[in-house]
Amino acid sequence: MEISVGAILEGTIKSITKFGAFVSLPGGRSGLVHISEIAHSYVADVRDFLTEGQTVKVKVVGIDDAGRINLSIKKATPPPPRPQHAQRERQGGRTEFRGNGRNFNSAPRSGSAPREPRSAASAAPQAAGPADFEARLKQFMQQSDSKLSDLRMTEKRSSRRSGHR
């Protein structure tokens, strides 16, 4: 049987290493599935995903000049569905983020449709938010400036002690 790039084959895991797994293919040949080609998620240990003797579906992703066959398990299988908790929907110039039972609306980008006006009832709670944010930001900036000035003073003292100016 001729093995070519792009072919999807069934093979058996022959041995497992730190960097991947060797797969026995039809026709007596074998190839390597690199650790990065095992799953659609991060793989720290190959043994968490594969066992010796396991039958797997692989895709031939390359054959080098020496005849070594590079394989991929994740390219032979469809990717898992994306989580539904942060699904985006485009509606009338606005993007709505739907998740956890709440909707979050983002402002339209410049050049797109203007936002609907808010009612007086919905604007009232909003007024308390920015003032609180401004106060927090001011406090953060003061603390940051204080820490930076302390750090600069410490650096000046240490450079004077070591004889550097």
Side-chain angles (χ1 to χ4, degrees), residues 44-156:
D45 185 7
V46 178
R47 294 183 190 280
D48 291 342
F49 290 84
L50 302 172
T51 57
E52 291 184 19
Q54 178 183 355
T55 302
V56 292
K57 188 184 285 190
V58 293
K59 181 175 184 175
V60 179
V61 292
I63 302 174
D64 66 10
D65 294 336
R68 295 179 293 204
I69 302 170
N70 298 316
L71 305 168
S72 173
I73 293 173
K74 73 179 182 181
K75 290 181 181 168
T77 58
R82 299 193 102 194
Q84 296 294 322
H85 67 276
Q87 189 177 28
R88 296 181 187 185
E89 294 180 14
R90 240 5 205 149
Q91 295 178 347
R94 294 174 48 181
T95 303
E96 287 193 15
F97 296 93
R98 297 182 182 269
N100 301 333
R102 292 181 261 159
N103 292 344
F104 303 96
N105 297 323
S106 68
R109 297 183 186 247
S110 61
S112 60
R115 241 183 179 183
E116 295 99 24
R118 292 178 180 247
S119 66
S122 67
Q126 196 73 6
D132 185 39
F133 172 77
E134 293 293 329
R136 287 182 177 182
L137 180 61
K138 185 176 179 180
Q139 181 183 9
F140 170 79
M141 293 299 290
Q142 288 172 345
Q143 290 173 347
S144 178
D145 288 341
S146 174
K147 288 178 182 178
L148 280 173
S149 65
D150 289 346
L151 181 62
R152 288 184 185 127
M153 291 300 288
T154 305
E155 288 175 352
K156 284 182 182 178

